[in-house]
Amino acid sequence: MLTEDETDLYRGGGGGKEPQKVAIIFAFCGVGYQGMQKNPGAKTIEGELEEALFHAGAVPESIRGKPKLYDFARSARTDKGVSAVGQVVSGRFNVDPPGFVDRLNSNLPNQIRIFGYKHVTPSFSSKKFCDRRRYVYLLPVFALDPISHRDREAVMASLGSGEVYVKCIACSERGRKIPDVVGNGKRNCFVTKSLNVQSDILSNKSSALRTDVKIEALSSDFASLSSVDVHVARIQEDSCKLNTSSSEKIKMAEGKSKFCYGEKEKERFSRILSCYVGSYNFHNFTTRVKADDPAAHRHIISFTADTVINLDGIDFIKCEVLGKSFMLHQIRKMMGLAVAIMRNCASESLIQTAFSKDVDITVPMAPEVGLYLDECFFTSYNKNFEDSHEEVSMEAFKEEAEAFKLKHIYSHIGATERKYGNMALWLHSLNHRNYPDLNFGSHGHNTDQVLVHKKVDETHHEEVSKPK
C-alpha cells in the first residue's frame, strides 16, 4: 500500500487520478534477452516493460525506474533466452484513458506482446498469489536416441580406427567434424567449436571439473597425442557407448537412425520424469542454493511428455512440468539428467540419489532455447475473490496467446535447432568426462575417474574423485 506521500509522488504532485492495482498478462520470446528480471547493464524483459509503462503514461516521471514505488511484482523469473506465453506482472498503474494495452504494445518490440489486464485487490501480488506455474520444454525426439549425436569419448575412440562410425552428418556443417581420409596417411582431425555449453558444464559445486583441465584429444593435435604411448589406469568403461555392431556403425556413418518416440520409449521417459513428482530437496538442480537451505525444497505436481509436434521438419516432445515454484536452472537440469538417463549415460536411481541432502553432484543442464513459461495459475485467489474481482487467468486470451506462441516462440525454437543445432551440439558434450557424476555409484560414492591432460611435450594422467 502506498503512503500518502508516495501517492502524491505517483500523481506527480498535482492531483492526478488515483492509480489502479492491476495484473498485466503478456508473452515474450526470450531470444536476445538476459532473462525476465531487471539487471543493471543487461537487456531484460522487465527493463523493456518498465520503459513501455512510462511511455504509455502508466507510470509518472517522478517514479520512473523505481518499481517498488508502484508495487511491481512478477509471477515468475525466467533464465536467459527462455520465453513465456503466460507471464503475469502486477502493480499500481494509470490505465486510463481507454487504450492502455495498445499504448503499451506500441512501445514494445514485436517479440513482447501485452494481451490484457485484470483489476485486482489492493493486496494482490502476482508473485505471492501465484500458486502454480507450468513450464514446457520442447525436446527434440533425437535427443532420446542413444545413437544420435554421439559423445566425444566415442569420437576419440573411433578416430583412426578405420571405422568412423560416429561421424555426425547433422553437425558436420557446424564445424564439429572434418571428414577424414582413412588409410592415406593424413591426420584424422576433430575440430571443436566454441560452444555456450561450457558454462553449463562447470558448476560452483564441483571440484572435479576445473578450467585447468583440458581435453586436448578433441583438438586438431589429436594425431600427435595418439602417437604418444599413453597408459591410463582405471578408466571406467563409458556406459554411454553402445554395442559397436556393424549395423550400428553403418547407422552412425550415414547419420541416420530408426529411433522414434513410440509407446515403449514414451513409457520409459514418462517413468523417468515421474521420479521428480513430489516434494524433494532439489539442491543439486540449481546453483548457489545449499542442501540445508529451506529454499531447496520444491514440490512438483506433475511432469508429462505425451505429445509430439513438428517444427521446421524436426519432431519435438512437449514436456510439461507443473509445480508451485522453481529455482534457477532447475527445469533445465531436470531435463538434462532425464535425457542422460534415456541415453544410458546414467541410471534411473541417480535422480533419487541427487535428492539426498548429503550428496553433492554436478547435473547436466539442457540448453535454454526449448524452455518457455506456459502459464501462471491463481486458483486460490480466484476462488476467494470470484464475487468481487475479475478472474486472473489466460482464459480470455487463449487464441491470441496461441497465435503468438506459434509465430514467435515455436518458430524460434524450430529454426534455431535447425540452423545452429543447440541440442545436437550439447549432446556431443554429454559424456562422463564432462559429467563424471553421471557415474555416481549405487554404493553411495563416485567411482574414481581419470582425466587426461596434455602439456607441452608431455602427456600424463591425474585421478580425480569427488569429496566425500
Side-chain angles (χ1 to χ4, degrees), residues 8-154:
D8 188 55
L9 183 63
Y10 195 111
R11 295 172 177 172
K17 193 169 182 179
E18 182 80 26
Q20 302 173 56
K21 191 67 172 289
V22 298
I24 299 174
I25 302 169
F26 68 107
F28 60 85
C29 178
V31 61
Y33 288 93
Q34 302 295 310
M36 172 69 189
Q37 188 174 11
K38 188 177 179 182
N39 190 13
K43 183 181 179 182
T44 65
I45 300 297
E46 273 186 19
E48 297 270 26
L49 188 58
E50 272 192 22
E51 283 302 293
L53 286 166
F54 166 71
H55 290 294
V59 175
E61 176 72 44
S62 57
I63 56 173
R64 181 183 183 183
K66 301 174 182 178
K68 286 185 178 181
L69 291 183
Y70 48 87
D71 203 17
F72 184 87
R74 73 190 76 81
S75 291
R77 290 185 295 182
T78 53
D79 299 349
K80 171 187 173 184
V82 175
S83 301
V85 177
Q87 176 65 289
V88 181
V89 297
S90 60
R92 298 179 183 278
F93 306 115
N94 289 321
V95 297
D96 293 323
F100 175 58
V101 172
D102 291 337
R103 290 196 300 276
L104 272 179
N105 283 328
S106 67
N107 287 284
L108 288 167
N110 289 334
Q111 68 186 87
I112 304 176
R113 196 67 0 197
I114 307 297
F115 298 139
Y117 65 93
K118 302 284 186 175
H119 290 276
V120 293
T121 63
S123 62
F124 180 86
S125 166
S126 58
K127 177 182 178 181
K128 295 178 181 178
F129 283 70
C130 181
D131 41 38
R132 290 179 299 156
R133 297 157 177 88
R134 181 173 64 217
Y135 282 81
V136 171
Y137 193 99
L138 294 185
L139 178 72
V141 169
F142 66 74
L144 302 186
D145 180 6
I147 291 177
S148 180
H149 301 285
R150 290 294 296 274
D151 60 273
R152 295 172 180 177
E153 295 292 294

Side-chain angles (χ1 to χ4, degrees), residues 7 27 52 66 283 385 450:
T7 301
K66 301 174 182 178
H283 71 101
F385 295 97
V450 179

Side-chain angles (χ1 to χ4, degrees), residues 10 13 45 58 64 66 91 110 120 143 146 151-152 211 239 261 275-276 315 321 389 391 400 440 456 468:
Y10 195 111
I45 300 297
R64 181 183 183 183
K66 301 174 182 178
N110 289 334
V120 293
D151 60 273
R152 295 172 180 177
T211 55
S239 63
Y261 192 60
C275 293
Y276 293 118
D315 285 337
V321 57
H389 286 78
E391 179 184 79
E400 192 176 355
F440 203 91
V456 180
K468 302 297 188 288

Side-chain angles (χ1 to χ4, degrees), residues 232-251:
V232 181
R234 297 201 325 272
I235 296 184
Q236 189 179 64
E237 182 178 357
D238 192 344
S239 63
C240 293
K241 295 178 181 179
L242 301 176
N243 295 326
T244 56
S245 65
S246 298
S247 61
E248 287 172 340
K249 293 179 180 180
I250 291 173
K251 285 181 182 179

